[in-house]
Amino acid sequence: MRVAIPFGKTKIYTGLVYEIHTSPPDSYEAKDIHQILDEKPIVNERQLHLWEWISEYYMCTLGDVFRAALPSAFLLESETAILKNNEFKEESELTDDEYLIFEALGYQSELNVNQVVEILGKKTVFPVLKKMLDKEAIILKERIYEQYKPKLIQYIKLNPVYTDEKLNELLESLNRAQKQRDAVLSYFQLNASTKKPIKKSDLEKDSGVSSAVIKALVTKGIFEIYFIQVDRIQFDGTTNQLKQLNEFQQKALIEIEESFKTKEVTLLHGITSSGKTEIYSELIQKTLDKGQQVLYLVPEIALTTQLIGRLQTYFGGQVAVFHSKYSMNERVEVWNNILENRENSQIIVGARSSLFLPFDNLGLIVVDEEHEGSYKQFDPAPRYHARDTSVVLARIHNAKVLLGSATPAIESYKNALDKKYGFVELTRRHGDVLLPEIELVDIKEKHKKKRMTGHFSDRLLTLIQEALDLKEQVILFQNRRGFSPIVECETCGIAPECPNCDVSLTYHKYKNELRCHYCGFKRPMLYNCGACGSEKLNNKGFGTEQIEQELIKLFPNTQIGRMDLDTTRGKFGYQKIIGKFEAQEIDILVGTQMLSKGLDFSNVTLVGVLNADSMLNYPDFRAHERCFQMLTQVSGRSGRAKKRGKVAIQSFNPNHQILQQVSTNSYQQMYKEQLEERWQYHYPPFYRIIKITLKHRDMYKVDQGAEWIGKSLSNIFRDNLLGPTTPSISRVRNQFIRVLIIKIPPKQSIKNTKEQLNRIKNVFQSVKDFRPIKMNIDVDNY
């Protein structure tokens, strides 16, 4: 259960009772618990087992996991209330500021700090309050505020004194108040037709009266108002039968079930549009029939929008959703429903954080698009990987895990080939539609021959026009948002940079501002260079916004939509855009990597990738694997219904082996080449990686700390230590960054490695000069 615990004289925090024992501490006197907040436990023992594993494996504290796991509404806040001391009579001793506060407390029973700031018109109010405390003019009181507010619906009922005999008498008494009489008659009609409790809002709507009329009837004692608590998210539609599987899906389903008899985890390698979701649905139904819960993990919130609709069609109100776009209150309701194992939360669809929910009887975990980097949490701690953690969660519940992807992660594929995981392949698209025809367009050649219009080659424009003529839809992919990533002065070559980070500011045209994508800093667009004053400013590079602007000029009579972080900020941002595109209100959709994952649009026959090189030339050992996955996934959005789709990939280097492998859909070839490189250069899946990041505002101090840690670690890990190095973006939010990477060979004990690293960390943090340096440890940094 949660408890409120005092720290210092005034602060109160929320803690969780982890263990009860009878041995009092020797070195200090324990304080009393302030109060117990729950009547029954809100965290179960299985959750605690998972938290312990995450804390130990990912080298973070249990408190970090606790804060990440619980919805913020459960982490109660204390707020200081200022009260008047009625015993105080020496008002003449108070200064002007103190008297103002004392006088305000005469009109209000209590004030908070923000109200005192408003009364005095200045921010530094704590010294004033301290003097008043010393004079005993005020009392401070800590109060715990519960942040979760249940949703209550107002219902109306007739006062029980009005029996059948008295109804005529009641109506006669209202002869002069026609609207009140109408409201009472409408109540009788609704009561007779529905036989259910009547909502106040329904009565107002049905009778056409205002809430003031209803209030008057309540005042007269004719109506009574009562409240019923309801969930904020409810399903009102109808459910359909599961789709009939084709012979290839049926075969894959049987193989998965066979594999589950001997293996806890099975990898389903199914090409794009092969109907993996239908197979998942069959397995979900079989798990529900056993009376068990199902967790369906997706990497991106955009994916849940389409998926929820599909799953609700089959399973109705049994589907619950949990991710960060849901409000705090909605997340608390999902938590409580799962805790009580209610009917409306048997299938949980969610992003990585849904692993922390209080499952009681989990039978199956589906990890869709398991290769996705979004499953890894980078900041803040715990820096867990949802795919790997789901395997541990399944083991705790004795459940099964199904990993699904058209382009599995190299680690998962190797585990499947090594027989650690079960392995099932699905090589036919649903409805026997052929995989899209992929065409590589050499834009270096097109630039030479002057066949480029803005960022579009003549070939891509022809394909777009052909698709539009046939009333088909187009997706264009550019993995960078904004208008242009760099605004450069043509005279002196200087580009405006973020004052807090070592990155150039991205130009966003729709708000005419420059913005940093790391810290959120923004400023109006410049009209002359800040360094030399020249007015010749030039945009370098391009993002989704620039592509959208070019398309509006090239295809003026076409509906164009954009899907990136800027256009999907609201709670229903994804839903609106995806809904419009499905309804064919948008002809061309421009987007970032959000578009590449699992979305299913039947009328899309063309996908265009505007610049494949930016993904290939990224300084990361996974760049080639990620590029293959991204391009294959985005290509898979094309031609999913009846007609074979087309994909045009623009590149300056179309002969690159990864682009060639994408064009022939050769996953095995990519896997083989990448595996050889990983073995040669000592990277996962052969070697494990622990990344250490040091951050501090003083560059000299962080360099000193990195040097000290580097020497200490090199004595233990020798050649398996990389660094300390400066990353490509060496300062973010005014914090200078230094990085060290430890590679752990296949036969080296990871447990011993972590113990040695923890020992060095403790010594490092005990040195006075290094204590202010923030040290983050990221296990399995990929």
Side-chain angles (χ1 to χ4, degrees):
M1 295 182 193
R2 290 172 307 151
V3 288
I5 44 176
F7 271 81
K9 287 184 180 175
T10 54
K11 286 282 173 229
I12 292 178
Y13 291 93
T14 304
L16 191 78
V17 177
Y18 174 67
E19 185 186 356
I20 296 174
H21 59 86
T22 52
S23 47
D26 302 326
S27 52
Y28 63 92
E29 191 181 333
K31 285 189 175 184
D32 286 338
I33 284 171
H34 182 69
Q35 70 185 88
I36 296 171
L37 301 172
D38 298 310
E39 290 175 13
K40 53 187 179 183
I42 63 158
V43 169
N44 62 39
E45 251 180 274
R46 286 171 166 173
Q47 277 176 290
L48 287 176
H49 286 318
L50 181 71
W51 293 6
E52 284 164 2
W53 179 83
I54 291 173
S55 163
E56 187 188 332
Y57 186 81
Y58 290 105
M59 297 182 76
C60 60
T61 64
L62 261 174
D64 287 332
V65 188
F66 167 63
R67 286 201 77 82
L70 258 65
S72 56
F74 283 143
L75 303 170
L76 301 186
E77 295 173 344
S78 69
E79 187 170 309
T80 305
I82 301 153
L83 282 76
K84 184 178 180 179
N85 183 2
N86 293 322
E87 310 278 305
F88 182 75
K89 302 293 180 208
E90 311 295 324
E91 292 180 29
S92 57
E93 290 180 16
L94 299 175
T95 63
D96 291 348
D97 282 351
E98 289 167 5
Y99 186 75
L100 274 173
I101 296 167
F102 193 76
E103 193 181 28
L105 285 167
Y107 297 107
Q108 272 178 276
S109 58
E110 60 182 61
L111 296 170
N112 62 34
V113 176
N114 290 337
Q115 287 168 316
V116 173
V117 168
E118 281 175 28
I119 290 164
L120 298 184
K122 56 183 182 184
K123 289 184 179 177
T124 50
V125 296
F126 286 106
V128 181
L129 292 173
K130 189 173 185 310
K131 282 175 187 168
M132 289 184 81
L133 272 172
D134 295 340
K135 292 173 186 175
E136 296 184 353
I138 56 170
I139 305 162
L140 292 189
K141 183 173 123 192
E142 283 293 318
R143 179 171 292 169
I144 298 263
Y145 283 89
E146 180 76 72
Q147 291 178 321
Y148 167 61
K149 291 182 176 65
K151 186 177 182 181
L152 300 171
I153 300 287
Q154 284 188 327
Y155 283 82
I156 289 277
K157 66 178 178 184
L158 193 66
N159 192 324
V161 298
Y162 293 104
T163 54
D164 291 348
E165 299 84 53
K166 289 192 177 180
L167 291 180
N168 282 335
E169 196 182 307
L170 167 65
L171 291 169
E172 277 173 25
S173 71
L174 294 173
N175 274 341
R176 288 189 177 182
Q178 191 57 45
K179 289 202 169 177
Q180 292 180 16
R181 195 170 191 267
D182 290 347
V184 172
L185 286 169
S186 290
Y187 174 83
F188 292 146
Q189 285 171 344
L190 281 170
N191 198 28
S193 61
T194 62
K195 301 289 183 194
K196 286 180 181 176
I198 294 163
K199 286 183 190 174
K200 180 173 172 261
S201 57
D202 288 350
L203 180 59
E204 285 172 14
K205 190 177 168 187
D206 200 66
S207 60
V209 301
S210 67
S211 58
V213 175
I214 307 287
K215 191 180 177 186
L217 285 163
V218 172
T219 309
K220 284 182 178 179
I222 296 168
F223 279 159
E224 289 179 1
I225 284 182
Y226 63 103
F227 295 90
I228 295 178
Q229 186 179 332
V230 295
D231 279 356
R232 284 172 168 78
I233 296 160
Q234 293 174 321
F235 174 71
D236 301 321
T238 53
T239 56
N240 299 330
Q241 290 290 310
L242 290 175
K243 281 187 186 172
Q244 195 68 38
L245 299 186
N246 64 30
E247 57 175 304
F248 304 105
Q249 289 171 314
Q250 194 64 48
K251 182 171 174 278
L253 178 66
I254 293 163
E255 285 176 15
I256 291 166
E257 288 177 321
E258 274 304 308
S259 163
F260 277 158
K261 287 176 184 173
T262 53
K263 299 273 193 299
E264 286 178 357
V265 185
T266 296
L267 174 66
L268 172 62
H269 180 200
I271 60 168
T272 54
S273 188
S274 54
K276 294 188 283 293
T277 310
E278 269 64 51
I279 295 174
Y280 301 156
S281 301
E282 286 285 347
L283 286 164
I284 289 167
Q285 186 60 62
K286 290 181 180 184
T287 309
L288 293 178
D289 292 343
K290 293 177 197 167
Q292 294 177 309
Q293 294 166 308
V294 177
L295 173 59
Y296 194 132
L297 286 176
V298 286
E300 191 79 62
I301 299 169
L303 252 180
T304 61
T305 306
Q306 261 202 343
L307 187 64
I308 295 158
R310 286 168 79 174
L311 289 178
Q312 283 182 335
T313 306
Y314 303 144
F315 305 108
Q318 292 178 288
V319 182
V321 186
F322 190 86
H323 58 62
S324 60
K325 278 278 197 281
Y326 270 37
S327 73
M328 183 174 67
N329 288 326
E330 286 166 347
R331 277 182 273 173
V332 169
E333 281 171 6
V334 173
W335 183 286
N336 290 335
N337 289 342
I338 293 168
L339 192 65
E340 290 161 27
N341 200 7
R342 288 188 189 152
E343 185 62 27
N344 63 357
S345 54
Q346 294 303 300
I347 305 163
I348 293 86
V349 180
R352 58 177 182 253
S353 57
S354 48
L355 283 166
F356 294 117
L357 289 164
F359 299 104
D360 176 53
N361 186 19
L362 198 58
L364 174 70
I365 302 175
V366 175
V367 185
D368 198 13
E369 309 295 349
E370 63 84 33
H371 63 277
E372 267 300 325
S374 320
Y375 280 128
K376 179 78 168 91
Q377 162 82 6
F378 288 105
D379 266 319
R383 296 173 178 82
Y384 65 100
H385 197 299
R387 180 191 63 218
D388 302 343
T389 308
S390 68
V391 175
V392 178
L393 177 64
R395 196 167 295 155
I396 291 167
H397 283 267
N398 202 15
K400 302 294 180 192
V401 181
L402 181 63
L403 309 176
S405 176
T407 51
I410 283 175
E411 290 79 14
S412 303
Y413 201 73
K414 187 173 187 301
N415 281 335
L417 296 186
D418 291 349
K419 302 284 191 287
K420 278 187 191 173
Y421 296 170
F423 183 55
V424 176
E425 270 191 299
L426 192 57
T427 54
R428 297 285 280 270
R429 273 189 145 190
H430 196 266
D432 279 346
V433 180
L434 289 171
L435 278 166
E437 179 190 334
I438 297 175
E439 189 177 323
L440 299 173
V441 180
D442 186 348
I443 47 177
K444 186 168 70 178
E445 194 66 30
K446 297 285 182 190
H447 273 292
K448 273 184 193 171
K449 293 180 177 174
K450 304 270 191 298
R451 287 187 186 165
M452 294 291 289
T453 309
H455 295 98
F456 293 87
S457 61
D458 56 349
R459 178 64 185 146
L460 182 54
L461 289 173
T462 306
L463 290 171
I464 293 172
Q465 192 59 60
E466 283 173 7
L468 294 175
D469 291 343
L470 294 167
K471 299 279 184 284
E472 292 164 351
Q473 288 169 294
V474 179
I475 285 178
L476 294 176
F477 173 75
Q478 167 60 7
N479 205 14
R480 196 181 266 282
R481 66 190 170 102
F483 188 84
S484 64
I486 298 169
V487 176
E488 189 181 76
C489 171
E490 286 183 14
T491 310
C492 67
I494 287 176
E497 286 194 355
C498 173
N500 312 316
C501 315
D502 281 346
V503 288
S504 59
L505 293 169
T506 301
Y507 174 42
H508 286 254
K509 194 170 185 176
Y510 77 106
K511 281 196 172 174
N512 199 33
E513 65 185 17
L514 295 166
R515 200 183 294 173
C516 173
H517 287 178
Y518 285 83
C519 71
F521 169 84
K522 53 190 176 190
R523 60 173 297 176
M525 177 59 182
L526 301 170
Y527 291 101
N528 49 14
C529 175
C532 71
S534 166
E535 291 182 5
K536 291 183 178 178
L537 298 177
N538 193 10
N539 294 325
K540 290 282 174 84
F542 62 101
T544 47
E545 206 184 329
Q546 193 168 340
I547 296 303
E548 183 188 28
Q549 296 288 320
E550 286 184 15
L551 284 168
I552 290 166
K553 288 177 188 169
L554 291 164
F555 302 99
N557 303 320
T558 305
Q559 289 300 314
I560 291 151
R562 174 161 59 93
M563 186 169 163
D564 56 27
L565 202 61
D566 297 321
T567 60
T568 55
R569 289 201 184 275
K571 181 177 176 181
F572 300 107
Y574 296 102
Q575 240 162 304
K576 284 175 191 164
I577 295 168
I578 288 171
K580 275 186 171 182
F581 198 57
E582 278 184 324
Q584 296 180 23
E585 289 173 28
I586 295 173
D587 302 311
I588 305 175
L589 184 60
V590 185
T592 57
Q593 46 83 31
M594 290 176 184
L595 286 173
S596 67
K597 301 160 192 169
L599 294 170
D600 188 3
F601 303 113
S602 57
N603 196 38
V604 173
T605 56
L606 173 67
V607 167
V609 178
L610 288 145
N611 184 5
D613 304 301
S614 58
M615 290 179 283
L616 283 169
N617 303 327
Y618 197 73
D620 179 16
F621 75 94
R622 293 189 163 271
H624 287 179
E625 179 195 356
R626 291 242 165 93
C627 180
F628 180 89
Q629 288 165 341
M630 188 82 77
L631 292 176
T632 304
Q633 291 286 347
V634 80
S635 302
R637 302 313 109 215
S638 173
R640 294 174 72 93
K642 298 181 178 97
K643 185 180 167 184
R644 187 182 187 190
K646 285 184 179 172
V647 180
I649 300 174
Q650 294 190 160
S651 168
F652 285 98
N653 185 11
N655 296 320
H656 194 289
Q657 90 257 22
I658 288 291
L659 298 182
Q660 292 295 326
Q661 286 156 7
V662 169
S663 68
T664 54
N665 201 40
S666 314
Y667 176 83
Q668 272 77 12
Q669 198 183 333
M670 183 278 296
Y671 168 77
K672 199 176 164 192
E673 277 183 19
Q674 292 303 308
L675 207 64
E676 282 171 9
E677 274 188 27
R678 303 274 179 90
W679 174 249
Q680 191 179 346
Y681 297 110
H682 298 177
Y683 279 108
F686 302 104
Y687 281 60
R688 285 210 164 140
I689 281 181
I690 296 178
K691 181 180 178 183
I692 300 159
T693 310
L694 302 175
K695 294 179 183 177
H696 194 265
R697 295 176 82 89
D698 182 340
M699 189 168 87
Y700 175 67
K701 189 169 270 191
V702 81
D703 274 334
Q704 266 189 317
E707 209 58 48
W708 186 93
I709 281 210
K711 280 177 184 168
S712 308
L713 291 173
S714 65
N715 293 334
I716 303 167
F717 301 109
R718 308 200 187 287
D719 294 344
N720 288 324
L721 177 75
L722 297 181
T725 57
T726 305
S728 51
I729 294 162
S730 60
R731 183 175 59 106
V732 172
R733 297 178 193 273
N734 273 327
Q735 301 260 344
F736 289 93
I737 304 168
R738 298 294 177 266
V739 172
L740 298 100
I741 288 174
I742 301 168
K743 293 180 177 179
I744 306 167
K747 289 180 182 172
Q748 186 173 309
S749 161
I750 192 158
K751 192 181 175 194
N752 291 347
T753 304
K754 286 177 183 172
E755 281 171 7
Q756 289 169 320
L757 183 52
N758 262 330
R759 213 164 31 246
I760 288 170
K761 182 186 177 182
N762 292 338
V763 175
F764 177 77
Q765 288 175 338
S766 64
V767 177
K768 189 184 169 190
D769 283 355
F770 298 152
R771 205 170 295 142
I773 299 174
K774 194 175 177 188
M775 180 178 180
N776 294 334
I777 297 174
D778 191 355
V779 179
D780 292 344
N781 176 261
Y782 49 77

